[in-house]
Amino acid sequence: NLTIAAETRQKQIRDRLTNAYNQAYLEEIIEKRLRDHEQFHLIFFNIIDFKSINSTHGREVGDEVLKHFTGFLQKLVSSSDKVFRYEGNEFCVLIELKNHGSEAINKLEKPRKIMYESFQNGIIKYHYAIGAYHYEGLENITFSEIMNIADQKIYCSKFT
């Protein structure tokens, strides 16, 4: 049955907590784009000091912060862009350049922002670091190398 196959595929490519796409699907898409030399832009996000949110407020509140942040990213991008939960408190957005690349990139690459989210135990304040990578379609680079570049950019962003 086609519907069952589609549902199964969605379960394989989605993060269970946030419903963002997952790391395996990100890697699958990027590997294909690299093979086909298709341009893309990735914007990476890291919720800073997320462990302290879990320690102070509990894991359930931490989960709510992750869901909130996913929703925040999904509201900023168009339906053709994809939001991924890379791992833990790390997220990534794949921007479809052919449709509206520069507009979405400008929205997402603003300097780190402080987020406030209301929960039953009060307001949680958190902020994020950001890094970006643009693939021109010409570079000889691997998925892992792109992720290493992203880590370096996010690290630098935490201190600016």
Side-chain angles (χ1 to χ4, degrees), residues 86-159:
Y86 185 65
E87 52 183 41
N89 59 323
E90 296 176 352
F91 293 82
C92 179
V93 175
L94 173 63
I95 304 294
E96 295 294 338
L97 294 175
K98 53 191 162 218
N99 297 334
H100 65 284
S102 59
E103 177 188 322
I105 291 163
N106 289 337
K107 277 191 216 172
L108 290 166
E109 283 189 332
K110 287 181 181 173
R112 148 176 33 150
K113 182 178 176 184
I114 296 175
M115 307 287 290
Y116 295 91
E117 179 62 14
S118 297
F119 295 100
Q120 287 181 330
N121 348 9
I123 294 176
I124 306 295
K125 175 182 166 186
Y126 65 96
H127 56 278
Y128 59 86
I130 188 169
Y133 179 81
H134 177 72
Y135 177 70
E136 294 286 343
L138 306 171
E139 305 94 297
N140 185 18
I141 193 164
T142 66
F143 177 78
S144 312
E145 291 168 331
I146 290 170
M147 299 317 289
N148 287 336
I149 291 167
D151 280 344
Q152 292 169 0
K153 289 186 176 193
I154 285 174
Y155 180 80
C156 290
S157 170
K158 287 181 180 183
F159 300 104

Side-chain angles (χ1 to χ4, degrees), residues 21 74-83 94 96 99-100:
Y21 291 104
Q74 289 170 332
K75 286 177 188 168
L76 287 179
V77 299
S78 81
S79 59
S80 62
D81 301 324
K82 290 179 174 51
V83 174
L94 173 63
E96 295 294 338
N99 297 334
H100 65 284

